[in-house]
Amino acid sequence: CRSCDEGAPVTSRCLDCAEYLCDHCVRAHQRVRLTKEHVIHRFRQQQQHYNQQPFPSLPLTHERVSYCQQHDNEVMRLYCDTCAVPICRECTMSRHVGHSFVYLQDAVQDSKEITLQLLADAQQGRQAIQLSIEKVRAMVEQVEMKAQVIRSEVKAVTSRHKKALEERECDLLRKVEKIRQMKAKTLHLQVEALRENLTRLESTIDCVQKALLDGRDVDVLLAKEQMFVQIQDLKKLRNLLQPQDDDTLSFIPPDGVLYKAIKSLGIISSSAYAPISTATGEGLKRALRGKMSSFTVITKDHTGEGRSSGGDLVVVVIMGPDGCLFRADVLDHHDGTYTISYSPHLEGEHVVSVTIRGQHIENSPFRVIVKAGRNYG
């Protein structure tokens, strides 16, 4: 201790005087009227091994400290847990009186630990996005390959009836091309969206890593908030992590009986396309608590024609007024239509989301008002 001649080990530091003190000097410091209001920071047990040698003078520098905007020349050495902001000693006796405080260094250390965990989650999310981009790219290639195969099948069949089939051939190829373009557009847009989110995520990760290595204490606190916001945004990408369209594309050639019906040769079929598929029914407008409600989903393909078969990945998720989610039952009629049934347990507004392969159908999500049914008991 440099404040006395006893050579006692240093156990504390006065944050106002920037002096290292032994236990005896701490008691004297707190008795003197001029210094009794100073903030004393006592070192933890693991720091005691430094007491074997004198502490060097550690003046506060402008690069490592931040000053309070409310009180001139007051360094922000504390952190208000109640308001989640750095504060100075004067703030504890004014705007933040009665609040819970910790030392800013401790708050920074806690923030570092949380930010490191968020950073790890973000890095895992980055890997998931990169893997999803590869999946979507592979699906684009499969769509292209399927489209090419269908073109070949169409041409092989129509070549035997070239004269009569020229008009029909053009119509079929137009449908194939339209489906290919719409599928490719959906998947390419998904790739671009994933790339944009990946770019933002990598930028945030770089900034946070720099803040953790070289930033000020306030920068570290801001880095935690940035990572928290980025992780929240990452959770919203769940529907983008799987291809939003598939490679379903086929051609059903006619049999011998259809040879004469040359004008209606063949059928081009595809999977359901969510943005133009619709839903209808009373269960999309209102419902009674504890009673079964239902509505119908009508699927259409990429050319706008109604689907004649089932097997599409129709998912209906309902969020109640309490924020809890539950799934509705989906009945596939194998004719392009699906009956959706659900029984709400709470009154109030429910949000009904209807998706096909992660994409919302037309006008989804729907808002349904649930009321209490009459009790005749």
Side-chain angles (χ1 to χ4, degrees):
C1 176
R2 293 186 175 182
S3 297
C4 64
D5 297 328
E6 298 180 5
V10 170
T11 61
S12 307
R13 182 172 185 262
C14 176
L15 299 182
D16 293 87
C17 302
E19 291 289 339
Y20 294 94
L21 309 171
C22 64
D23 287 336
H24 176 74
C25 291
V26 168
R27 290 192 291 271
H29 214 67
Q30 293 173 335
R31 286 197 301 268
V32 177
R33 179 180 301 176
L34 185 63
T35 59
K36 68 178 182 178
E37 298 295 334
H38 286 191
V39 178
I40 303 298
H41 173 59
R42 183 170 292 276
F43 299 123
R44 294 192 178 95
Q45 187 66 28
Q46 61 266 32
Q47 293 175 307
Q48 295 300 320
H49 65 279
Y50 288 111
N51 294 331
Q52 303 302 321
Q53 52 185 322
F55 275 74
S57 178
L58 297 175
L60 296 174
T61 64
H62 292 288
E63 290 76 19
R64 303 298 297 175
V65 300
S66 298
Y67 290 89
C68 181
Q69 296 180 355
Q70 304 296 325
H71 303 96
D72 294 337
N73 299 323
E74 285 289 336
V75 177
M76 293 190 292
R77 297 189 178 93
L78 302 172
Y79 182 77
C80 179
D81 272 335
T82 305
C83 303
V85 294
I87 60 174
C88 70
R89 184 176 61 85
E90 294 294 330
C91 290
T92 65
M93 297 179 287
S94 57
R95 299 175 60 190
H96 298 270
V97 64
H99 292 186
S100 175
F101 316 118
V102 295
Y103 286 106
L104 184 59
Q105 292 177 346
D106 294 338
V108 169
Q109 183 61 36
D110 292 341
S111 295
K112 281 185 178 180
E113 294 174 0
I114 295 173
T115 303
L116 286 172
Q117 182 59 50
L118 293 173
L119 184 62
D121 294 341
Q123 289 170 337
Q124 291 181 354
R126 177 174 59 184
Q127 294 177 352
I129 292 178
Q130 291 171 337
L131 180 60
S132 297
I133 289 176
E134 294 302 319
K135 288 183 179 179
V136 175
R137 284 176 175 171
M139 186 59 69
V140 171
E141 294 178 359
Q142 292 179 33
V143 169
E144 296 291 341
M145 292 176 60
K146 278 291 187 74
Q148 185 58 42
V149 169
I150 298 303
R151 288 194 192 98
S152 299
E153 291 183 2
V154 170
K155 290 181 179 180
V157 173
T158 58
S159 62
R160 293 177 298 160
H161 320 85
K162 191 63 177 179
K163 274 190 176 182
L165 295 178
E166 283 180 352
E167 182 178 351
R168 183 60 178 171
E169 179 186 9
C170 292
D171 182 53
L172 292 173
L173 293 177
R174 177 187 59 79
K175 289 186 176 182
V176 172
E177 184 62 17
K178 184 174 181 180
I179 291 172
R180 184 197 68 80
Q181 290 178 355
M182 296 186 73
K183 281 179 174 286
K185 180 179 179 181
T186 297
L187 295 168
H188 282 308
L189 288 175
Q190 185 180 2
V191 170
E192 291 303 317
L194 287 168
R195 282 176 175 167
E196 291 176 4
N197 281 280
L198 180 60
T199 299
R200 288 196 300 268
L201 184 58
E202 289 179 334
S203 176
T204 301
I205 289 173
D206 290 340
C207 291
V208 169
Q209 288 176 331
K210 290 179 181 178
L212 291 175
L213 291 174
D214 304 315
R216 301 176 302 170
D217 294 343
V218 173
D219 293 334
V220 174
L221 295 174
L222 292 176
K224 181 187 74 172
E225 296 301 323
Q226 288 178 344
M227 285 309 309
F228 182 79
V229 171
Q230 194 63 56
I231 292 301
Q232 292 300 111
D233 291 341
L234 188 61
K235 292 179 180 178
K236 298 177 183 177
L237 296 179
R238 286 176 294 184
N239 289 338
L240 282 177
L241 298 182
Q242 294 297 328
Q244 292 185 331
D245 213 327
D246 59 14
D247 62 344
T248 302
L249 187 63
S250 62
F251 173 68
I252 303 176
D255 53 25
V257 178
L258 294 178
Y259 181 77
K260 295 180 180 179
I262 204 73
K263 290 293 184 180
S264 58
L265 172 67
I267 297 174
I268 296 293
S269 66
S270 174
S271 57
Y273 185 52
I276 57 177
S277 296
T278 60
T280 183
E282 191 69 15
L284 288 176
K285 301 176 183 177
R286 60 187 67 87
L288 296 178
R289 186 188 64 189
K291 302 293 184 180
M292 190 66 68
S293 297
S294 64
F295 59 91
T296 301
V297 173
I298 304 170
T299 59
K300 296 181 180 180
D301 65 16
H302 293 72
T303 65
E305 296 183 359
R307 293 265 291 144
S308 59
S309 60
D312 294 301
L313 187 59
V314 178
V315 177
V316 180
V317 177
I318 302 173
M319 182 175 70
D322 58 351
C324 294
L325 302 176
F326 63 94
R327 285 197 175 191
D329 295 327
V330 179
L331 176 61
D332 186 351
H333 295 290
H334 303 287
D335 60 358
T337 64
Y338 301 79
T339 296
I340 313 301
S341 303
Y342 67 97
S343 178
H345 300 292
L346 297 175
E347 298 178 41
E349 184 180 76
H350 287 59
V351 179
V352 180
S353 297
V354 184
T355 60
I356 300 176
R357 297 192 67 84
Q359 282 191 297
H360 285 277
I361 68 169
E362 185 177 304
N363 297 324
S364 175
F366 304 90
R367 299 188 179 277
V368 180
I369 301 299
V370 176
K371 297 182 178 180
R374 293 184 179 179
N375 186 354
Y376 295 98

Short mmCIF file of all heavy atoms in Angstrom, two decimals, residues 18 33 73 114 145 152 160 164 171 181 192 199 202 205 216 238 247 251 274 286 295 342:
data_model
loop_
_atom_site.label_atom_id
_atom_site.label_comp_id
_atom_site.label_asym_id
_atom_site.label_seq_id
_atom_site.Cartn_x
_atom_site.Cartn_y
_atom_site.Cartn_z
N ALA A 18 -8.54 6.87 -7.59
CA ALA A 18 -7.67 5.98 -8.38
C ALA A 18 -6.46 5.55 -7.58
O ALA A 18 -5.35 5.41 -8.11
CB ALA A 18 -7.26 6.65 -9.69
N ARG A 33 -14.03 13.03 6.33
CA ARG A 33 -15.20 13.66 5.73
C ARG A 33 -15.01 13.87 4.23
O ARG A 33 -15.96 13.73 3.45
CB ARG A 33 -15.47 14.99 6.42
CG ARG A 33 -16.66 15.75 5.84
CD ARG A 33 -16.89 17.06 6.56
NE ARG A 33 -17.11 16.86 7.98
CZ ARG A 33 -17.26 17.85 8.87
NH1 ARG A 33 -17.19 19.11 8.44
NH2 ARG A 33 -17.46 17.59 10.15
N ASN A 73 -17.35 15.65 -16.43
CA ASN A 73 -16.09 15.07 -15.95
C ASN A 73 -16.27 13.87 -15.02
O ASN A 73 -15.35 13.50 -14.30
CB ASN A 73 -15.22 16.13 -15.24
CG ASN A 73 -14.85 17.27 -16.18
OD1 ASN A 73 -14.61 17.02 -17.36
ND2 ASN A 73 -14.84 18.48 -15.66
N ILE A 114 -22.24 -13.37 -22.35
CA ILE A 114 -23.50 -13.52 -23.08
C ILE A 114 -23.26 -13.34 -24.58
O ILE A 114 -23.78 -14.09 -25.42
CB ILE A 114 -24.55 -12.52 -22.58
CG1 ILE A 114 -24.91 -12.83 -21.11
CG2 ILE A 114 -25.80 -12.54 -23.45
CD1 ILE A 114 -25.82 -11.79 -20.47
N MET A 145 -33.29 -29.84 -64.49
CA MET A 145 -33.18 -31.18 -65.07
C MET A 145 -34.55 -31.77 -65.35
O MET A 145 -34.79 -32.36 -66.41
CB MET A 145 -32.38 -32.08 -64.12
CG MET A 145 -30.92 -31.71 -63.99
SD MET A 145 -30.05 -32.73 -62.76
CE MET A 145 -30.28 -34.36 -63.46
N SER A 152 -38.26 -33.23 -73.25
CA SER A 152 -37.91 -34.36 -74.12
C SER A 152 -39.09 -35.31 -74.28
O SER A 152 -39.36 -35.80 -75.39
CB SER A 152 -36.71 -35.11 -73.55
OG SER A 152 -35.58 -34.27 -73.47
N ARG A 160 -44.58 -37.96 -83.29
CA ARG A 160 -45.31 -38.93 -84.11
C ARG A 160 -46.57 -38.34 -84.72
O ARG A 160 -47.17 -38.90 -85.61
CB ARG A 160 -45.69 -40.15 -83.26
CG ARG A 160 -44.50 -40.98 -82.79
CD ARG A 160 -44.94 -42.11 -81.91
NE ARG A 160 -45.58 -41.61 -80.70
CZ ARG A 160 -46.38 -42.35 -79.94
NH1 ARG A 160 -46.67 -43.59 -80.30
NH2 ARG A 160 -46.90 -41.85 -78.85
N ALA A 164 -50.71 -32.55 -86.47
CA ALA A 164 -51.87 -32.30 -85.62
C ALA A 164 -51.49 -31.78 -84.24
O ALA A 164 -52.29 -31.15 -83.55
CB ALA A 164 -52.70 -33.58 -85.48
N ASP A 171 -48.42 -25.35 -76.59
CA ASP A 171 -49.13 -25.07 -75.35
C ASP A 171 -48.48 -25.80 -74.17
O ASP A 171 -48.29 -25.23 -73.09
CB ASP A 171 -50.59 -25.50 -75.49
CG ASP A 171 -51.40 -25.19 -74.24
OD1 ASP A 171 -51.36 -24.02 -73.80
OD2 ASP A 171 -52.05 -26.11 -73.70
N GLN A 181 -39.88 -21.33 -64.87
CA GLN A 181 -39.51 -19.96 -64.54
C GLN A 181 -39.99 -19.58 -63.15
O GLN A 181 -39.26 -18.95 -62.38
CB GLN A 181 -40.09 -18.99 -65.58
CG GLN A 181 -39.42 -19.08 -66.94
CD GLN A 181 -40.05 -18.14 -67.95
OE1 GLN A 181 -41.06 -17.48 -67.66
NE2 GLN A 181 -39.48 -18.08 -69.14
N GLU A 192 -31.24 -15.27 -52.83
CA GLU A 192 -30.85 -13.88 -52.62
C GLU A 192 -31.18 -13.43 -51.20
O GLU A 192 -30.40 -12.72 -50.56
CB GLU A 192 -31.56 -12.98 -53.63
CG GLU A 192 -31.07 -13.16 -55.07
CD GLU A 192 -29.59 -12.92 -55.21
OE1 GLU A 192 -29.08 -11.95 -54.61
OE2 GLU A 192 -28.91 -13.70 -55.88
N THR A 199 -24.99 -11.97 -45.32
CA THR A 199 -24.09 -10.81 -45.35
C THR A 199 -24.25 -9.98 -44.09
O THR A 199 -23.27 -9.56 -43.47
CB THR A 199 -24.38 -9.95 -46.59
OG1 THR A 199 -24.16 -10.74 -47.77
CG2 THR A 199 -23.46 -8.73 -46.62
N GLU A 202 -22.74 -11.90 -41.12
CA GLU A 202 -21.28 -11.89 -41.10
C GLU A 202 -20.74 -10.51 -40.72
O GLU A 202 -19.75 -10.40 -40.00
CB GLU A 202 -20.74 -12.31 -42.46
CG GLU A 202 -20.95 -13.79 -42.75
CD GLU A 202 -20.44 -14.18 -44.13
OE1 GLU A 202 -20.38 -13.32 -45.02
OE2 GLU A 202 -20.08 -15.36 -44.30
N ILE A 205 -21.15 -10.19 -37.02
CA ILE A 205 -20.17 -11.03 -36.33
C ILE A 205 -18.80 -10.36 -36.33
O ILE A 205 -18.10 -10.32 -35.32
CB ILE A 205 -20.10 -12.42 -36.99
CG1 ILE A 205 -21.39 -13.21 -36.69
CG2 ILE A 205 -18.87 -13.20 -36.51
CD1 ILE A 205 -21.48 -14.51 -37.43
N ARG A 216 -14.38 -0.28 -26.73
CA ARG A 216 -14.60 0.27 -25.40
C ARG A 216 -15.66 -0.56 -24.67
O ARG A 216 -16.35 -1.37 -25.28
CB ARG A 216 -15.07 1.72 -25.51
CG ARG A 216 -14.06 2.64 -26.23
CD ARG A 216 -14.65 4.03 -26.39
NE ARG A 216 -15.91 3.98 -27.12
CZ ARG A 216 -16.73 5.01 -27.24
NH1 ARG A 216 -16.46 6.16 -26.65
NH2 ARG A 216 -17.86 4.90 -27.93
N ARG A 238 -36.57 -19.27 -40.22
CA ARG A 238 -36.83 -20.70 -40.26
C ARG A 238 -37.50 -21.15 -41.56
O ARG A 238 -37.21 -22.21 -42.09
CB ARG A 238 -37.68 -21.11 -39.05
CG ARG A 238 -36.91 -21.12 -37.75
CD ARG A 238 -37.78 -21.43 -36.57
NE ARG A 238 -38.75 -20.38 -36.34
CZ ARG A 238 -39.60 -20.35 -35.32
NH1 ARG A 238 -39.62 -21.33 -34.45
NH2 ARG A 238 -40.44 -19.33 -35.16
N ASP A 247 -39.01 -29.91 -57.03
CA ASP A 247 -38.77 -30.24 -58.43
C ASP A 247 -39.91 -31.05 -59.03
O ASP A 247 -39.73 -31.75 -60.04
CB ASP A 247 -37.45 -31.02 -58.55
CG ASP A 247 -37.51 -32.34 -57.78
OD1 ASP A 247 -38.43 -32.51 -56.93
OD2 ASP A 247 -36.67 -33.21 -58.02
N PHE A 251 -44.97 -35.12 -66.86
CA PHE A 251 -45.81 -35.13 -68.06
C PHE A 251 -46.50 -36.49 -68.15
O PHE A 251 -45.86 -37.53 -68.05
CB PHE A 251 -44.96 -34.89 -69.31
CG PHE A 251 -45.73 -35.06 -70.59
CD1 PHE A 251 -46.72 -34.17 -70.92
CD2 PHE A 251 -45.45 -36.12 -71.44
CE1 PHE A 251 -47.44 -34.32 -72.09
CE2 PHE A 251 -46.15 -36.27 -72.61
CZ PHE A 251 -47.15 -35.37 -72.94
N ALA A 274 -48.01 -21.91 -53.39
CA ALA A 274 -48.69 -21.26 -52.27
C ALA A 274 -49.24 -19.87 -52.56
O ALA A 274 -50.39 -19.57 -52.20
CB ALA A 274 -47.75 -21.21 -51.06
N ARG A 286 -64.68 -16.66 -37.95
CA ARG A 286 -65.08 -16.69 -36.54
C ARG A 286 -65.10 -18.14 -36.06
O ARG A 286 -65.17 -19.08 -36.85
CB ARG A 286 -66.45 -16.04 -36.37
CG ARG A 286 -67.55 -16.72 -37.15
CD ARG A 286 -68.86 -15.94 -37.08
NE ARG A 286 -68.74 -14.68 -37.76
CZ ARG A 286 -68.97 -14.52 -39.07
NH1 ARG A 286 -69.30 -15.57 -39.82
NH2 ARG A 286 -68.86 -13.34 -39.64
N PHE A 295 -62.19 -25.04 -42.24
CA PHE A 295 -62.20 -24.32 -43.50
C PHE A 295 -61.48 -25.17 -44.53
O PHE A 295 -60.90 -26.21 -44.20
CB PHE A 295 -61.55 -22.93 -43.37
CG PHE A 295 -60.12 -22.94 -42.91
CD1 PHE A 295 -59.07 -22.99 -43.82
CD2 PHE A 295 -59.82 -22.91 -41.55
CE1 PHE A 295 -57.75 -23.00 -43.39
CE2 PHE A 295 -58.50 -22.91 -41.11
CZ PHE A 295 -57.46 -22.96 -42.04
N TYR A 342 -59.81 -27.24 -36.35
CA TYR A 342 -59.14 -26.85 -35.12
C TYR A 342 -60.19 -26.51 -34.06
O TYR A 342 -61.34 -26.18 -34.39
CB TYR A 342 -58.21 -25.65 -35.34
CG TYR A 342 -58.92 -24.36 -35.69
CD1 TYR A 342 -59.19 -23.40 -34.71
CD2 TYR A 342 -59.32 -24.09 -37.00
CE1 TYR A 342 -59.84 -22.22 -35.02
CE2 TYR A 342 -59.96 -22.91 -37.32
CZ TYR A 342 -60.23 -21.98 -36.34
OH TYR A 342 -60.88 -20.81 -36.65
#
